[in-house]
Amino acid sequence: MGTDPSVKVSASDRPGKRRGERKRIISISVMVTFVLGIVFAGVFNVALDWTNQEEFCLFCHEMKDNVYREYQTTIHYTNRTGVRAVCADCHVPREFVPKLIRKVKAAKEVWHKILGTIDTPEKFAEYRPVIAQNEWKRMKDNNSQECRNCHDPKFFDFSQQGYRSVNQHQVGLLAKGQACIDCHKGVAHRLPRLDQGVNLADPTGISLEIFRPPVPAKETPLTGETTTESAK
Amino acid sequence: MKKRFFAIVPATVLATGLMLLTGVSQASDDGGLATLRGAPVSASEKSPTGDGLKKAIETEPVERNYLDQPPVISHAIDDYRITKDANKCLDCHSVENYKKEKATRVSKTHFEAYDGKTLANVSSRRQFCTQCHIPQTDAKPLVPNTFQHAK
């Protein structure tokens, strides 16, 4: 115990020259780390953006002959003005952390592309209800943020909407806090089999409670900024 | 050398003549069909007027022209998809939803199955609504005719 203070004293009693050197090394290493950090962040972001391209998606995901074909007939692929929403605009969050989480989860989809889990129309039809409901749930849980990146209810011109739309948007979306996906399913891709009561009840189809979740009875406290302001 | 040249010339002339002949005959070959549109069957379609597709008239449903005519749809149905798995129309017109959506209820005549038995809901033989129902437009008849409304 008695030796410790003497060690401390000797350590703090270094010559000033060595101290200055140390300081310089620290400052240089901090600067280098900083610059490397910027470079790495830049490269990482560019790489992530690169993986968000339509062509990149087509390469590793099982989609070219099924969901991509379906999407090509919809308004998000082709329209009067040529403004498009590509795969990543709807299926990859823009925020950094959710984006990383989604990208990591996408590894599973690539794995199943390699395995060929859904590589025939029949296999795809079998898995479609599961896959569709996964994405519906994701879009419900984040309050359809990817839709809202372009479609902001704050800027809805209700005079341009049909009377049904006005009602649904003012009551369901704004007052009761429903998510876009609660109603707008099957917008860019075909729907899985639904149990719509055609012929007899169809247990293989998705029930209407899942397809059209009931509107909350009470007015939920308004969460997002957008909803509070537009509700007025 | 000369012999070969004299052989090539008539062959070329013959080939060109044949090509011209077949080309001409293809253009005017209607297979003996008469048309009402004032142009040969094989002629290409007239260029569109530039008005785009006819828009549906979204007002009151127009009158039916004859008994048992499938009523026309009084709204646009662009991007309303009907597949064997899902039917967009039934979103509003189904027995369950029509009241809530203030839509026309799907007719009970649509409950009859292939074997003539009446089901409790829409039969799958009526799944594809647009086989009979189309949006109402102000489209003029392509060919003049003397049809009159039933009275």
Side-chain angles (χ1 to χ4, degrees), chain B:
Chain B
M1 197 64 192
K2 261 190 177 177
K3 261 186 182 174
R4 216 184 265 168
F5 177 75
F6 283 120
I8 287 170
V9 170
T12 325
V13 170
L14 200 74
T16 323
L18 268 175
M19 274 164 70
L20 279 172
L21 265 175
T22 50
V24 168
S25 67
Q26 261 173 13
S28 62
D29 182 17
D30 284 353
L33 290 174
T35 73
L36 290 169
R37 63 174 181 150
V41 173
S42 54
S44 57
E45 290 286 332
K46 275 181 201 163
S47 62
T49 50
D51 294 340
L53 296 170
K54 291 274 182 198
K55 288 238 167 76
I57 304 165
E58 304 212 1
T59 53
E60 288 296 297
V62 296
E63 293 277 304
R64 295 192 208 191
N65 286 329
Y66 52 90
L67 190 71
D68 291 339
Q69 181 202 334
V72 286
I73 305 164
S74 59
H75 56 81
I77 57 163
D78 308 85
D79 296 329
Y80 283 10
R81 199 173 291 115
I82 305 166
T83 67
K84 70 177 174 56
D85 294 325
N87 182 323
K88 175 72 179 167
C89 310
L90 286 179
D91 252 13
C92 297
H93 296 284
S94 72
V95 182
E96 295 84 12
N97 294 344
Y98 81 98
K99 264 187 194 158
K100 195 180 78 195
E101 303 290 347
K102 293 179 189 129
T104 312
R105 184 191 198 272
V106 59
S107 166
K108 277 177 189 166
T109 58
H110 293 39
F111 291 12
E112 194 180 293
Y114 292 94
D115 53 8
K117 283 180 187 152
T118 302
L119 304 174
N121 210 322
V122 182
S123 160
S124 59
R125 71 200 290 208
R126 308 293 190 133
Q127 169 79 359
F128 297 97
C129 315
T130 46
Q131 281 185 329
C132 298
H133 301 279
I134 52 162
Q136 57 191 20
T137 68
D138 66 344
K140 301 283 177 292
L142 291 172
V143 177
N145 61 74
T146 55
F147 177 82
Q148 289 195 337
H149 289 230
K151 276 161 194 167

Side-chain angles (χ1 to χ4, degrees), chain A residues 165-182:
Chain A
S165 310
V166 170
N167 184 50
Q168 291 294 340
H169 288 146
Q170 291 191 342
V171 176
L173 180 75
L174 298 176
K176 300 199 170 173
Q178 281 191 293
C180 312
I181 195 72
D182 282 346

Side-chain angles (χ1 to χ4, degrees), chain A residues 18 20-31:
Chain A
R18 279 184 73 187
E21 234 170 63
R22 228 177 143 199
K23 253 190 181 174
R24 210 188 302 154
I25 289 168
I26 289 172
S27 57
I28 286 171
S29 58
V30 164
M31 273 174 68

